Amino acid sequence: MDFLSNFLMDFVKQLQSPTLSFLLGGMVLAALGSQLQIPESICKIIIFMLLAKIGLTGGMAIRNSNLTEMVLPVAFSILLGILIVFIARYTLAKLPKVKTVDAIATGGLFGAVSGSTMAAALALLDEQKVAYEAWAGALYPFMDIPALVTAIVIANIYLNKKKLAITAESSLEESLSKQSVAAGEYSDPQNYPSTRQEYLRLKQRPENARVKIWPIIQESLQGPALSAMLLGIALGLFARPESVYENFYNPLFRGLLSILMLVMGMEAWSRIGELRKVAQWYVVYSVVAPIVHGFIAFGLGMIAHYTTGFSMGGVVVLAVIAASSSDISGPPTLRAGIPSANPSAYIGSSTAIGTPIAIGVCIPLFFGLAQAIGGI
């Protein structure tokens, strides 16, 4: 009983933190019809600075840390990015009125990482003076890229199989229609489709139907979010950015994050209406999936905690990035890689419900859980 009461008190306390308060404030403003607007160009600059700061922090930490400590968390991050896509493929895709391709794209977006959600979690840990590995933010690309690549590859394989099946069926019907085999007449063995011929034809995949992995990875790496993150990591690793980090990026981090949370709260409220265009199962998935994904990641993080000394703060970060869904790099990548998927399904699910759940529920949830278990 004490565990539950302490957890609920911590949960309510985290909802009152500056980061989450600005998110809720943005939603309230949008609900009241406020005309407040933050220009898109300013939001892009804010996102770049936040992710660059996280990248710099991770790069400098990697440079000064033991790389063997990162092996297990990195492996778990890759596993989670892939696993989340398969969870959507075999759960959401099986529900009524849900198209398989839309479900796979949604899984890819939920498997990818939200830089802003991760930034909110790191800010909360800093506010509470909770220790975590400085390189924890560098886990971002190890989960983000595998999720997007897996979603696009699985979707294209599914579409190609479906296309080949339809082509085979139509070709077979066409071949049979050309055969007018009368009683006592032998059909032309060159025209009549035998099982072996059909098998060989089905195995022949057109060149333009092949799934090419590298362009998907390249597009993900060139996206604005990952570009900013990887740039920061590279500079932190190979340069000496401590002075600009301490005098510019670090002091501005929390203030810029509060503005971004305000914008995201307003956007989340405005996109709730998009979910009316898709099946109600997306709403259920968007509420349940971040929590389930976070618990899986929390469990894997605890394994790393007990085997390699991965900090409880790091466990929280791993759980939060698994609970998050990409709101910057993911949508354009999936639009290009799976053009037949419905953006209203996966973007609406992610931005309207997934992101608020990840920030407003999952961050305080897993922070409170870590406090209850690890005493952080």
Side-chain angles (χ1 to χ4, degrees), residues 149-215:
V149 171
T150 302
I152 295 174
V153 171
I154 291 177
N156 280 277
I157 290 174
Y158 169 80
L159 291 172
N160 288 335
K161 287 183 177 180
K162 188 176 180 181
K163 180 180 178 181
L164 288 172
I166 294 173
T167 303
E169 184 178 353
S170 61
S171 298
L172 180 60
E173 290 177 356
E174 183 180 354
S175 298
L176 290 173
S177 65
K178 292 180 179 179
Q179 302 296 322
S180 55
V181 183
E185 250 181 26
Y186 293 98
S187 62
D188 186 353
Q190 297 297 323
N191 293 330
Y192 197 87
S194 66
T195 304
R196 178 63 178 169
Q197 290 172 341
E198 288 298 327
Y199 173 77
L200 292 175
R201 184 173 55 76
L202 288 173
K203 293 292 287 184
Q204 292 175 351
R205 177 173 293 181
E207 182 66 27
N208 60 2
R210 293 177 182 171
V211 180
K212 298 179 180 180
I213 305 297
W214 173 245

Side-chain angles (χ1 to χ4, degrees), residues 240-260:
R240 298 289 177 180
E242 282 80 2
S243 59
V244 69
Y245 176 87
E246 293 296 337
N247 295 321
F248 181 69
Y249 284 97
N250 198 37
L252 294 177
F253 181 77
R254 290 181 180 81
L256 293 176
L257 179 63
S258 66
I259 298 174
L260 182 61

Side-chain angles (χ1 to χ4, degrees), residues 173-334:
E173 290 177 356
E174 183 180 354
S175 298
L176 290 173
S177 65
K178 292 180 179 179
Q179 302 296 322
S180 55
V181 183
E185 250 181 26
Y186 293 98
S187 62
D188 186 353
Q190 297 297 323
N191 293 330
Y192 197 87
S194 66
T195 304
R196 178 63 178 169
Q197 290 172 341
E198 288 298 327
Y199 173 77
L200 292 175
R201 184 173 55 76
L202 288 173
K203 293 292 287 184
Q204 292 175 351
R205 177 173 293 181
E207 182 66 27
N208 60 2
R210 293 177 182 171
V211 180
K212 298 179 180 180
I213 305 297
W214 173 245
I216 300 171
I217 298 175
Q218 187 177 24
E219 188 169 2
S220 298
L221 292 172
Q222 292 173 344
L226 275 180
S227 295
M229 172 77 68
L230 294 176
L231 174 64
I233 292 174
L235 292 173
L237 274 171
F238 304 112
R240 298 289 177 180
E242 282 80 2
S243 59
V244 69
Y245 176 87
E246 293 296 337
N247 295 321
F248 181 69
Y249 284 97
N250 198 37
L252 294 177
F253 181 77
R254 290 181 180 81
L256 293 176
L257 179 63
S258 66
I259 298 174
L260 182 61
M261 289 297 102
L262 182 68
V263 173
M264 290 187 64
M266 298 177 68
E267 183 179 357
W269 183 267
S270 66
R271 285 182 178 268
I272 288 178
E274 292 184 11
L275 292 179
R276 298 173 185 172
K277 303 176 184 178
V278 298
Q280 70 273 17
W281 290 114
Y282 284 99
V283 179
V284 176
Y285 175 86
S286 301
V287 172
V288 175
I291 300 173
V292 172
H293 300 161
F295 271 114
I296 295 173
F298 194 93
L300 293 175
M302 291 302 298
I303 294 175
H305 172 70
Y306 288 120
T307 56
T308 66
F310 191 45
S311 69
M312 288 302 297
V315 173
V316 174
V317 174
L318 184 64
V320 169
I321 64 175
S324 72
S325 53
S326 179
D327 47 14
I328 301 173
S329 62
T333 302
L334 291 176

